Amino acid sequence: MNIIKTEKAYISSFASVVGSLESKGPLGTLFDIAKDGDDRFGKETWEKSEAEMQRLALTTALDKASLCDTDIDLMLAGDLINQCISSANGLIDFDIPFLGVFGACSTCAESILLSSVFSSFAEKCCAAVTSSHNCSVERQFRFPVEYASLRTPTSQWTVTGAGAYIISPKNTANAPAVTEVLAGKCIDGGITDACNMGAAMAPACADTVERYFEESALTPDSFDYIVTGDLGKEGSSILNELLAKSGIDISKNHRDCGTDIYSLDAQDVHSGGSGCGCSASVIAAKYLSKVAKGEISDMLFIGTGALMNTMSVQQGNSIPGVAHLVRITKTR
Amino acid sequence: MNIIKTEKAYISSFASVVGSLESKGPLGTLFDIAKDGDDRFGKETWEKSEAEMQRLALTTALDKASLCDTDIDLMLAGDLINQCISSANGLIDFDIPFLGVFGACSTCAESILLSSVFSSFAEKCCAAVTSSHNCSVERQFRFPVEYASLRTPTSQWTVTGAGAYIISPKNTANAPAVTEVLAGKCIDGGITDACNMGAAMAPACADTVERYFEESALTPDSFDYIVTGDLGKEGSSILNELLAKSGIDISKNHRDCGTDIYSLDAQDVHSGGSGCGCSASVIAAKYLSKVAKGEISDMLFIGTGALMNTMSVQQGNSIPGVAHLVRITKTR
């Protein structure tokens, strides 16, 4: 019994910020802020650029709902940079209590999950904020992008993007509701290749999806979409295979934020997008706006993360995955 | 209005694990597991040693209350190592959903805070687990300990320690209750010296304490102890000065986990202990056992963290602090 029913959690506002490559992708026109430039966001280091994206995302989400700092009781935020400094530095100018979270690329789902529990219990308005930046992340985990290293076919492209979500205990203006949440388990599938995150995360995603359908007694047909973020092409294929073995067929309504955000071949991103900012920007831009309009009635968002750092890979450890689920339902 | 009253959150079991230097300190006999050896905990890398301490801490906390994996619905855990891998790797063998949190040295307080909200709302048993290891942390943030670098007078000694707390919605055997929680704000006091964490964290701690007393209308005399973790000697002195300016005198009942855990001069640890594992082990070993026995009626634990990484310091950024508060009360 692990699904938690969150009865007072409405996503009353949401905003997305992306960089240049993302603005040229298939969702380019849907983001609130899509920069077509050098992805520096006016800052002198990539780390500060990423922090600035978090600030812009939360500012935009607050502005869209005519809210200010005093309307928000708590921020939950995280990112991929060591010790989550993009979040701390990006959000420090807001006069709002701050809790850092870390779930690698599942951080967006994790922060929405925690915000929804807070909102339901404590009747607090929470802000969930997440980001990643291609240049800060690639330098930290692999190589500085200036090296122009060759990338393997299964590698994913870290998204330059950020998303902010305001979770409120009260419904206003047909806000999408978070009605259920389910935290994932760490699952180690034995993958040691840091350029194949999809394969590392797919087993954890399959575990969460199986647990959800078993406990809820629902089927994939109950949902308009089952959206993972971010398995990419490789990980999505593995997920579908793993679930098929358990008799669960999600092939009709499965989407993945990592394959949504880019034109995979035309934009040369190999297996698709990844990074905390991928699902953070895609869920806001592509999916939540449709839930708010009533075009999507019911969907599952399963954020997936690969729990590793550069040293754990160098020491030969395998890469465990984790996947957190939130159910999002229209309220009109 | 930011204090959250948690009505169903009892710390039904807790356990502490420490290394060699800590076992020789003034609290040496109080820890559940105190290793007097090479601090490797049987593993070949410092990162794996730290992960093993998390595993030992949670195993011990479960054993002390005759609990098993199926009794725990959720683990919230974090540490100082990049991407919190000590938590993910240390807890992967438990068949329990996992949420990663990051608050630097405030992570223990943050994970207890979040567990208490979950427990009160979702009626879930949660485990809050935190660790640090002197050798893994010093290599990552400063220098490998084998270099025997000179340390500045204000520097703190990263504790080799871990703590695990089982937070239950039901009271059994006079378990200490978490009755209130208050999340802290990121506060930047302008400190850029990575060897003076106490000064970086003290302003955030003062802010949280001031907000708590203002909203609760209580005074420091209402509590047996006001325990910070971990400001050290330097940070504690700054905290007392800052609070005195606001007319709050905590000097009589203030204690700090960083000065509790070592004999500061005799053990040559300069300003005292720090690291996620410092408050995690000290709160369990020194304070909670006294609350459980009724020797402490009411206390505040304010976990303090410095939000930085090596690159942010190299880029000249100042170091923001954050401080989260939990109120712990006897139930007998």
Side-chain angles (χ1 to χ4, degrees):
Chain A
M1 290 290 290
N2 281 310
I3 297 172
I4 297 174
K5 300 209 181 276
T6 47
E7 287 171 9
K8 290 186 287 185
Y10 300 92
I11 307 177
S12 62
S13 185
F14 44 93
S16 54
V17 177
V18 296
S20 180
L21 191 70
E22 295 72 21
S23 76
K24 298 190 185 86
L27 308 181
T29 57
L30 301 177
F31 300 109
D32 293 292
I33 298 177
K35 291 276 184 191
D36 187 8
D38 60 6
D39 287 356
R40 290 196 176 270
F41 291 85
K43 301 293 175 184
E44 71 270 34
T45 72
W46 297 124
E47 290 73 23
K48 288 182 183 170
S49 305
E50 184 178 337
E52 174 67 4
M53 290 164 62
Q54 286 221 7
R55 194 190 68 74
L56 284 171
L58 183 52
T59 301
T60 306
L62 292 172
D63 286 351
K64 283 169 81 171
S66 302
L67 297 170
C68 60
D69 288 18
T70 52
D71 296 311
I72 311 298
D73 287 310
L74 190 64
M75 301 185 289
L76 292 118
D79 59 88
L80 289 169
I81 300 303
N82 296 342
Q83 288 72 52
C84 303
I85 56 156
S86 304
S87 305
N89 290 336
L91 302 178
I92 194 161
D93 289 339
F94 296 95
D95 188 28
I96 304 170
F98 170 89
L99 292 177
V101 297
F102 181 77
C105 302
S106 73
T107 302
C108 176
E110 180 182 346
S111 60
I112 293 175
L113 183 162
L114 284 166
S115 296
S116 300
V117 170
F118 258 92
S119 164
S120 293
F121 166 67
E123 307 212 350
K124 301 262 163 180
C125 260
C126 291
V129 193
T130 325
S131 68
S132 57
H133 193 297
N134 184 270
C135 297
S136 58
V137 166
E138 290 302 315
R139 171 167 64 186
Q140 177 179 279
F141 283 107
R142 297 172 194 94
F143 301 97
V145 291
E146 293 83 351
Y147 288 12
S149 302
L150 280 179
R151 303 172 66 244
T152 62
T154 57
S155 68
Q156 291 175 250
W157 187 275
T158 305
V159 165
T160 298
Y165 301 76
I166 309 295
I167 318 283
S168 164
K170 290 186 190 132
N171 184 14
T172 48
N174 304 316
V178 178
T179 52
E180 291 180 333
V181 299
L182 177 64
K185 295 177 182 173
C186 287
I187 307 280
D188 188 350
I191 301 293
T192 54
D193 178 3
C195 295
N196 194 352
M197 292 296 178
M201 298 185 287
C205 190
D207 180 78
T208 300
V209 171
E210 286 164 10
R211 286 169 53 223
Y212 179 78
F213 284 127
E214 188 180 340
E215 188 185 330
S216 69
L218 297 172
T219 64
D221 295 338
S222 312
F223 299 96
D224 298 307
Y225 293 108
I226 296 169
V227 185
T228 52
D230 320 289
L231 295 172
K233 195 168 65 173
E234 177 81 3
S236 293
S237 162
I238 299 170
L239 173 68
N240 276 269
E241 275 181 43
L242 289 172
L243 288 177
K245 285 184 191 169
S246 309
I248 298 171
D249 179 7
I250 62 164
S251 58
K252 268 181 279 179
N253 47 5
H254 176 237
R255 300 290 183 277
D256 182 74
C257 298
T259 56
D260 278 341
I261 194 166
Y262 299 122
S263 299
L264 264 53
D265 294 331
Q267 293 190 294
D268 193 26
V269 294
H270 299 219
S271 189
S274 70
C276 295
C278 181
S279 57
S281 57
V282 171
I283 292 292
K286 179 175 175 185
Y287 293 99
L288 284 189
S289 48
K290 287 188 182 170
V291 179
K293 286 179 199 155
E295 294 167 19
I296 294 176
S297 296
D298 210 346
M299 63 175 275
L300 296 179
F301 163 39
I302 305 121
T304 60
L307 302 171
M308 46 75 77
N309 69 14
T310 50
M311 189 171 285
S312 72
V313 173
Q314 287 161 358
Q315 291 179 351
N317 293 1
S318 54
I319 303 170
V322 73
H324 306 300
L325 178 149
V326 296
R327 180 179 181 179
I328 303 170
T329 309
K330 74 169 181 179
T331 56
R332 65 169 60 210
Chain B
M1 290 291 290
N2 280 311
I3 297 171
I4 298 174
K5 300 208 180 279
T6 47
E7 287 170 9
K8 289 186 288 184
Y10 300 92
I11 307 177
S12 62
S13 186
F14 45 92
S16 54
V17 177
V18 297
S20 181
L21 191 70
E22 295 72 22
S23 75
K24 299 190 185 88
L27 308 181
T29 58
L30 301 177
F31 300 109
D32 293 292
I33 298 178
K35 292 276 184 191
D36 186 8
D38 61 6
D39 287 355
R40 290 196 175 270
F41 292 86
K43 301 294 174 183
E44 70 269 34
T45 71
W46 297 123
E47 290 72 24
K48 288 182 182 170
S49 306
E50 184 178 337
E52 174 66 5
M53 290 165 63
Q54 286 221 6
R55 194 191 68 75
L56 285 171
L58 182 52
T59 301
T60 306
L62 292 173
D63 286 351
K64 284 169 79 171
S66 302
L67 297 170
C68 61
D69 287 19
T70 52
D71 297 311
I72 311 296
D73 287 309
L74 189 64
M75 300 185 290
L76 292 118
D79 59 86
L80 288 170
I81 300 303
N82 297 342
Q83 288 72 52
C84 302
I85 56 156
S86 305
S87 305
N89 291 335
L91 302 178
I92 192 159
D93 289 339
F94 297 94
D95 188 28
I96 304 170
F98 170 90
L99 292 177
V101 295
F102 181 76
C105 301
S106 73
T107 302
C108 176
E110 180 181 346
S111 60
I112 293 175
L113 183 162
L114 284 166
S115 296
S116 301
V117 170
F118 259 93
S119 164
S120 294
F121 166 68
E123 308 213 348
K124 301 261 162 182
C125 259
C126 292
V129 194
T130 324
S131 68
S132 57
H133 193 299
N134 184 269
C135 296
S136 59
V137 166
E138 290 302 316
R139 171 167 64 187
Q140 178 180 278
F141 284 107
R142 297 171 195 94
F143 300 98
V145 290
E146 293 84 350
Y147 289 11
S149 302
L150 280 179
R151 304 171 65 245
T152 62
T154 57
S155 68
Q156 291 175 249
W157 186 277
T158 305
V159 164
T160 298
Y165 301 75
I166 310 295
I167 318 283
S168 164
K170 291 187 190 131
N171 185 14
T172 49
N174 303 318
V178 177
T179 51
E180 292 179 332
V181 299
L182 177 64
K185 295 176 182 174
C186 286
I187 307 280
D188 189 350
I191 300 293
T192 55
D193 177 3
C195 295
N196 193 352
M197 292 297 180
M201 299 185 286
C205 189
D207 180 76
T208 300
V209 172
E210 286 165 10
R211 285 169 53 221
Y212 179 78
F213 285 128
E214 187 180 341
E215 189 185 330
S216 69
L218 296 172
T219 63
D221 295 339
S222 313
F223 299 96
D224 297 308
Y225 293 108
I226 295 168
V227 185
T228 53
D230 321 286
L231 295 172
K233 194 168 68 173
E234 177 80 3
S236 293
S237 162
I238 298 171
L239 173 68
N240 276 269
E241 274 181 44
L242 289 172
L243 288 176
K245 285 185 189 168
S246 308
I248 298 170
D249 180 7
I250 63 164
S251 59
K252 268 182 279 179
N253 47 4
H254 175 238
R255 299 290 183 277
D256 182 73
C257 298
T259 56
D260 278 342
I261 194 166
Y262 298 121
S263 299
L264 265 52
D265 294 331
Q267 293 190 292
D268 193 26
V269 295
H270 300 217
S271 188
S274 70
C276 295
C278 181
S279 59
S281 57
V282 171
I283 291 292
K286 179 175 175 185
Y287 293 99
L288 284 190
S289 48
K290 287 188 181 170
V291 179
K293 287 179 198 155
E295 294 167 20
I296 295 176
S297 297
D298 209 347
M299 62 175 276
L300 296 178
F301 163 38
I302 305 121
T304 60
L307 303 170
M308 46 74 78
N309 70 12
T310 49
M311 190 171 285
S312 72
V313 172
Q314 286 161 359
Q315 290 178 351
N317 293 0
S318 53
I319 303 169
V322 73
H324 305 302
L325 178 149
V326 295
R327 180 180 180 178
I328 302 171
T329 309
K330 73 170 181 179
T331 57
R332 63 170 59 212

